[in-house]
Amino acid sequence: MKKSAAAVKGIDCVYLPATNTEESAKWYMDYLGLRLRRPVHENQAQLEISPEQSIFLIKSKEPHNVNYMEINGTEQCVLTMEAENFELLYSKMKDNGAHLSDIEDNGGCGLNFYAYDPAGNKIDIWGGWPK
């Protein structure tokens, strides 16, 4: 097969399970500064990262998250978000009691930490490429 340009333009929306859409939406707004696209519905919350990117929180029947175990036994997440002000965000989240990992230094890949939303979804918060 001949190599050609990608048939897709980007990722528009990520769907994450939520036990309580209102509580989870508040977490994403308070900690990550996301904005509601429309009022929270008991079964769904639509949050805007940018006009082109969204996170939809979908109420699940049972408590559930999207984390999985890598072959080496490490819990893996499905989403990495780049922070505008990495150190400030970490301090704010830690000071307000968010469930976080310690900051990791990944050398040429930069700094990151993991945050867990109210449903237990593990989110990789990344500081961007080192300068």
Side-chain angles (χ1 to χ4, degrees):
M1 184 172 196
K2 184 175 127 178
K3 186 174 177 156
S4 61
V8 296
K9 295 179 1 180
I11 296 172
D12 180 65
C13 187
V14 174
Y15 293 83
L16 297 175
T19 308
N20 179 322
T21 53
E22 212 165 287
E23 176 187 32
S24 290
K26 183 173 175 9
W27 187 91
Y28 282 90
M29 291 184 299
D30 290 350
Y31 286 122
L32 303 180
L34 276 58
R35 298 167 300 280
L36 282 175
R37 286 193 177 273
R38 55 186 48 93
V40 175
H41 181 276
E42 70 174 284
N43 296 326
Q44 182 181 116
Q46 299 178 7
L47 298 158
E48 181 178 293
I49 298 168
S50 72
E52 297 83 26
Q53 298 177 328
S54 300
I55 290 179
F56 281 25
L57 302 170
I58 307 297
K59 186 167 186 170
S60 55
K61 277 188 173 182
E62 302 168 0
H64 184 72
N65 61 54
V66 294
N67 311 339
Y68 64 95
M69 297 303 276
E70 291 182 13
I71 196 163
N72 67 4
T74 303
E75 182 182 53
Q76 181 60 45
C77 60
V78 299
L79 180 62
T80 297
M81 300 175 80
E82 185 174 355
E84 190 69 42
N85 188 328
F86 180 81
E87 311 271 338
L88 182 63
L89 178 59
Y90 183 81
S91 294
K92 174 186 170 185
M93 292 181 81
K94 187 171 180 122
D95 291 347
N96 286 290
H99 179 188
L100 307 176
S101 72
D102 291 332
I103 293 176
E104 298 175 2
D105 185 342
N106 298 294
C109 290
L111 302 175
N112 79 302
F113 65 90
Y114 298 101
Y116 291 83
D117 75 8
N121 294 301
K122 183 179 183 180
I123 310 295
D124 183 9
I125 306 294
W126 180 52
W129 297 107
K131 304 228 177 331

